[in-house]
Every structure is written in structure tokens, then in C-alpha cells.
Amino acid sequence: MVREWRLDAAEGSLSTNFERFRHAPYGIQGGEPGSLSRTTVTHADGTQLSLRSKVSGIPLAAGDIVTIETSGGGGFGDPRKRDSQRLAKDLADGMVSPQQAASLYGAETEKGAAA
């Protein structure tokens, strides 16, 4: 999940207390690990600041954008054994790209190449 907030006040501060910045959620029964969390501040001038999982009193100014990306859960089961009809639906629904399907699931891509 990705959330973004823009500070419209003249000034503010940010404190966070998150997990899963260094150790991804594990998969079970052959599933892949999930993604890591991260927090980024994009200042109004375009510079970015990548934060640790737990911070306090980070100064913010008007126009700064705080982006919080929470970790995704680990997978269940060997992805290469995913039911082809379910994977086709995931592709059609935009839940996975053809490149991801080839890389993660060993599925044929639009060009007919398998990973």
C-alpha cells in the first residue's frame, strides 16, 4: 500500500514507527518473501530524503510530500505452480505484468518467451 501526504501548512514535523524496513515478510510453503516498507520525504524543491523505520521530529515545510510504502505480505506456495487460469485473470486485471508473470511464475509472456 502506498500513501502520500502533502503538507499545506507553513511548517510541520514527522514521526514514524514502522516495521519491515530491513527484513521482508517471509513466504510459506515455497512462497516468495514480500516487499520491504519505506518512507520518503520529497521536499518542495524536489530533493528526497529516505528515512529509517522509526524517526522523530523530521522537519517539514509547505509543499513537502511524505510517501509511506508498507510492506507486502509474503507469498503462499510455489509461484511456478500457480493455476494458469488464475494467473491469466491476474494478468487481465492488471495485478501482475507480463514481465512479472515470466519472472515470478515462469509463465509465457506476450512474446512467447518463458522465464
Side-chain angles (χ1 to χ4, degrees):
M1 179 175 74
V2 178
R3 293 269 177 128
E4 287 189 330
W5 293 270
R6 184 187 68 233
L7 184 67
D8 289 334
E11 61 183 36
S13 67
L14 173 69
S15 298
T16 67
N17 185 9
F18 294 112
E19 297 292 334
R20 299 292 184 187
F21 273 52
R22 281 189 275 172
H23 304 287
Y26 57 88
I28 58 174
Q29 295 188 6
E32 297 288 323
S35 60
L36 293 172
S37 296
R38 67 177 159 230
T39 301
T40 307
V41 175
T42 304
H43 295 291
D45 66 5
T47 60
Q48 287 192 325
L49 175 63
S50 219
L51 301 177
R52 297 184 318 271
S53 61
K54 295 168 181 54
V55 297
S56 181
I58 302 296
L60 299 174
D64 288 352
I65 297 172
V66 176
T67 304
I68 297 173
E69 299 175 59
T70 57
S71 63
F76 178 82
D78 183 346
R80 294 189 179 268
K81 294 180 180 175
R82 175 108 168 116
D83 179 77
S84 60
Q85 289 180 333
R86 288 183 177 204
L87 181 55
K89 183 172 178 359
D90 290 345
L91 279 160
D93 292 343
M95 301 300 290
V96 64
S97 71
Q99 296 80 11
Q100 291 168 321
S103 172
L104 297 171
Y105 301 97
E108 301 245 341
T109 65
E110 295 170 341
K111 296 180 175 120

